[in-house]
Amino acid sequence: MMKAADFYRRVEAECPAFQARVTARALTRYYNACFRPLQITAEQFSLLVGIGGSRQPTLAELAGRAGVDATTLSRSVKGLQRKGLVNDHGGRGRAGKRLGLTDEGRRLMGEAMTIWERARAGLAEALGEDVSRSVGSVLSRLALAAQTASASPAT
């Protein structure tokens, strides 16, 4: 029988979910620090990218692409609206209203993209270019594998 301490070390070393959460928190702290001068968080930057990079998505579409609950996302979008970075129009509810960046949102994203590029380059330099290029592919494959496996979970 495996000792509890050995089990915990094994989970830390082998569990993709555990490793992904640790990595996500570290990346979030890194990008939050990078975006602090703009007074936005990494989460807000991601939402602004999702809104600005789409053709006026609905909240439901944005939530589906991000893999998050629409109710949670709605609260985050409202915060961006209060800051004057996002507007909504048309339709009703999460599936009807269309989201877009305001002029202020587009201006801020111009500054944010410069910061993001420096932050990305810093990570690429720290990782090495080859590893940096492969990370996105590996993460996409891991997400796909998790989706496939969730169709028949190992219980």
Side-chain angles (χ1 to χ4, degrees):
M1 181 145 165
M2 186 182 294
K3 289 183 180 179
D6 293 335
F7 172 76
Y8 299 141
R9 279 191 290 280
R10 183 171 174 221
V11 168
E12 287 180 1
E14 298 177 22
C15 179
F18 182 89
Q19 294 164 346
R21 283 188 167 88
V22 169
T23 302
R25 285 190 289 270
L27 287 169
T28 297
R29 283 190 301 273
Y30 173 70
Y31 280 102
N32 281 346
C34 293
F35 292 128
R36 192 169 292 126
L38 299 180
Q39 299 180 342
I40 61 170
T41 65
E43 177 193 12
Q44 290 170 327
F45 173 78
S46 295
L47 273 174
L48 292 166
V49 166
I51 294 167
S54 298
R55 194 136 166 78
Q56 299 186 337
T58 65
L59 194 59
E61 291 166 350
L62 198 57
R65 281 201 328 266
V68 297
D69 177 67
T71 303
T72 302
L73 192 64
S74 177
R75 284 190 292 272
S76 299
V77 167
K78 282 184 171 105
L80 294 173
Q81 288 175 313
R82 281 191 297 276
K83 287 183 166 206
L85 303 174
V86 171
N87 59 28
D88 64 35
H89 62 280
R92 293 174 60 148
R94 294 182 190 122
K97 284 185 181 175
R98 297 276 169 195
L99 302 171
L101 297 180
T102 63
D103 290 342
E104 178 62 17
R106 283 189 290 282
R107 185 204 60 74
L108 179 91
M109 287 305 287
E111 292 180 50
M113 288 301 175
T114 302
I115 291 172
W116 174 83
E117 186 56 52
R118 279 195 309 262
R120 187 213 55 79
L123 286 176
E125 184 178 325
L127 273 174
E129 287 295 332
D130 290 342
V131 173
S132 183
R133 276 192 291 276
S134 68
V135 166
S137 174
V138 170
L139 290 174
S140 293
R141 289 172 55 199
L142 180 59
L144 184 59
Q147 277 184 318
T148 302
S150 69
S152 57
T155 53

